[in-house]
Amino acid sequence: MVLLSSNFETLYSNIFIQRSAGSCNCKHSPRIFINVCRNVQICFCHGNSSCTKCPDSIFFRRSYSFTSSEELPTHAKVVICGGGVQGAALGYFLAQHGWGKDTLVLDQGKIGRATPWHMSGLIGIFKPTSTETRITEESIKLYGELAQMGYNTGFKQCGSLLLARTKDRLTHFRRMKSHAVCRKIECYLLTTEEISKRYPYINTQDLQGGLWIPIDAVADPHTICESLATLAAAQGVRMFEHIQVNRVLTSQNKVAAVETDRGTIKCDFFVNCAGFWARSLGKKTQPLVKVPVQAVEHYYLHTKPIKDLDANMPVIRDLDGHVYFREKDGCILAGGFEPLAKPVFEDGALPLSVEESQLEVDWDHFSPMLEQMVHRVPFMRTAVLGKLCNGPESFSPDCKWVLGETSEVDNYFVATGMKSLGIASAGGVAKHLSEWIVTGKQPYSLNELNVQRFVPLHNNRQFLLERMKEVPGVHYQLPYPFSEFRTGRRLRVSPVFPRLKAVGAVFGQTMGYERPAYYEPKPYQDSDVDDDLTTHPAGGIGQNVEAPFRVAYTNTFMKPHWFECARNEYRACRESVAIADYSSFTKLDLTSSGPEVVDFLQYVCSNDVDVPIGAILHTGMHNENGGYESDCSLARLSDNHYMMIAPIIQQTRCQAWLRRQQQKFFGGTSSSVNVADVTSLYTALCVMGPLSRAVLSELTEADLSPKSFPFFTVKEMDMGSASGIRAMNLTHTGEMGWVLYIPNEAALHVYDKILEHGRKYAIQHAGYYATRSLRVERFYAYWGQDIDASTTPLECGRGFRVKLNSPIDFIGREALLKQKKEGVQRMYVQFQLDDHDPEIDPWPWGNEPIYRNGEFAGMVTTAGYGFTLNRQICLGYIQNYDVTGTIHRLTPDYVTSGQYEVDIAGLRYNARVSLRSPTLPTKFRDTYGDHYLATRHGGGT
């Protein structure tokens, strides 16, 4: 039960609670009244009232409206575009921060006027990422508080029942139950017999079991929007209807004003909560703001009232059937997420209101879902149809929410792409964004959801239309490891893509780049293509989609089918020689006319960048809390020229962060240092292994000996008949080798020459899965998986890279000095599983709980098979919790003194812990890189 906030009466100075009987016959207790103005008080829950004496008074009623005739103000701190539940919630939380009178909410229609027929009201606590789960928890808390206050929210914690038709789905449920420990989420696995006994109306003949989640809830988005909008307005938030936002005006890449059809409003912040209109609105800004969302058809079936239907019936999610059910006002509300969706508004012409956006019902499209509904709940056969509603819902290209500050314009925020479940996210998202806007800092990292995870191609309309056929089905699809989309492919490829495809590459996609995941021994033939995705081993979207190459899949939580491929590639990297395509790394050139680039990089980087020309260093770029905004390698090419190499997921985010830091460092101008994105100008080929020097020495006159070309250095050299190649002596895996950054026009020539001269050394191709195993085994952290904006170098064993002993100031220095003095509360560690059988046991893939002496201690971030150590390797963080859940300071002695287990789908496996990168045995002893340990807690050089 959620309790009423103790500061409620002081928080809302013009709202009072009447605890005794009054003239109002409202059944809610306590009765909540609002001072509309100094002359009128109304009951929010029941009353209709307006004041004729005060022409400027706001008019409230239960199905309220806001006058559109009031003159627009000329200035506000925050303008929110979109008066749905997300916009109302954000206004509510900004008002709580004291910004109510400085906040405007604009809507082109009516505030909160979404049709009640076209909203499911489902609030499920389990989400694909821990960040989404945290946000949903905060939404549940908010709606519970509103209900406790007496508002008509429709909030009901009826729980939900997830059904499994396959053993893999049941394995996923076991993984969910294990993961629930870290969030303290109550859930229970049920057998088919238990399901039948509890819910006899469910057909269980084809089920393997289920997962019961008591905390899950339903709510009425319409009434919650009303409640939040009214509370926001009561604290000064002004809401205007029937106003068209034409564009957002900017000055020096910062929000300056909002131009509407009724005038211009100067403002400091703008928040785009415009739903499927969000992308169109972003395009009206200069510079253009990327908001990659696209609307698809989405169906809701409402029955007539069903006799004796349990009002507390749980939400039933038949994930393998792509459908769900819930009780609503004595009826059944059902819907689904079909494998093959239908994008709408394909010509780009969008309706001007919610009322105009209702779509024609396509019974042929909906009938497969209806069949699944009737199959799972047979009483639906005799239910009387009330209404089938079809309306547009917006999805992002990766089926995740789109949140945060945009990369193009400062103070321009986005909250959209909620995939028809905006009620589950609205409260938590609003709480997060309001704090970010007011304080200038994120309360916690939004990595997987941040709008800056996209590049321009993701905002391309043709790409979105193609991808959206597949995206909604992902919502209920089994989340197998390394899942891949099959639409919107072959958009970013290196020049050697045709060669890699021909020799058997099976591709994954990252930030639009096609990257070999592994290589099948059989060369590619055109006949290998399976265009019918319904028969693809990974599942599919049910129609022919062009994919003229092999797309990676891992349709199991056990030992994957590509295991032997990855093992052979791994062996080549460690025992002979291999070539890998690294072209998908982010590549930036940073230059200046004078020493400004050195001074700037010293300010944003925690490592000392003033290294000799030709040196390479690893460094973090941190926020004021010491967390990693980016993790990169810097190669100094000349006095005032550096090349930065970073993960591809940093391509947009890193550039935006550098631009903003330049404005701070150089006093408002960002022109002193030129940051050029050269990602698409260079093909990156990594040649690694103990024989790599022998292969490359045949292609260049440069001396590649350790004395002449040592570890962590860069040289520009010729290779074959090509020139201008930036060769870096590092591999990002710990193996001996070089990464060659080759101008694209020379890439095929250099690739062919490497293969030609490498044949005598039995050169092989290596894909991402093999190199990933190398870095996991070597205990290398990766940004976005193991470290993020909340992780400091002292927590992840990289303190040796930080210039804390230098007088040079940098962002995050004070926070890191404080943490060094006080100690860390979590540590990044490596585990080797001792009693895990890779042939029969479920594999760790990440997000597994870690136990120390039988008590929960942390979570796995990344896992992989170590082919040298011949066992499963897990990387993750451990913390020191006491019985009350309080986290205490950690020491290396505390870490190494415990007995550890890793929980994989409900089974615990003994694990040996390590705080430093291991020195792996090798057949070819070479001093190359042996001194370098990527992760080392407790000091070291």
Side-chain angles (χ1 to χ4, degrees), residues 739-758:
V739 181
L740 309 176
Y741 291 93
I742 311 162
N744 280 341
E745 65 269 21
L748 281 175
H749 167 75
V750 174
Y751 170 84
D752 289 341
K753 285 295 182 181
I754 292 172
L755 267 292
E756 176 187 333
H757 289 265

Side-chain angles (χ1 to χ4, degrees), residues 398 400 447-448 450-455 458 492 509-513 515 584-587 629-631 645-656 679 768 775 782-788:
D398 57 2
K400 295 177 183 176
N447 290 341
E448 311 98 323
N450 198 308
V451 64
Q452 296 182 26
R453 69 186 186 269
F454 298 113
V455 292
H458 293 122
R492 301 178 79 184
Q509 188 184 60
T510 176
M511 289 288 276
Y513 253 109
R515 176 178 64 183
S584 60
F585 273 104
T586 295
K587 314 171 198 69
E629 290 295 330
S630 182
D631 181 50
I645 309 299
I648 188 61
I649 54 176
Q650 281 275 349
Q651 185 172 5
T652 298
R653 176 192 175 105
C654 185
Q655 292 180 78
T679 302
Y768 169 69
R775 77 98 175 163
Y782 192 79
W783 195 94
Q785 296 178 22
D786 307 298
I787 56 177
D788 58 25

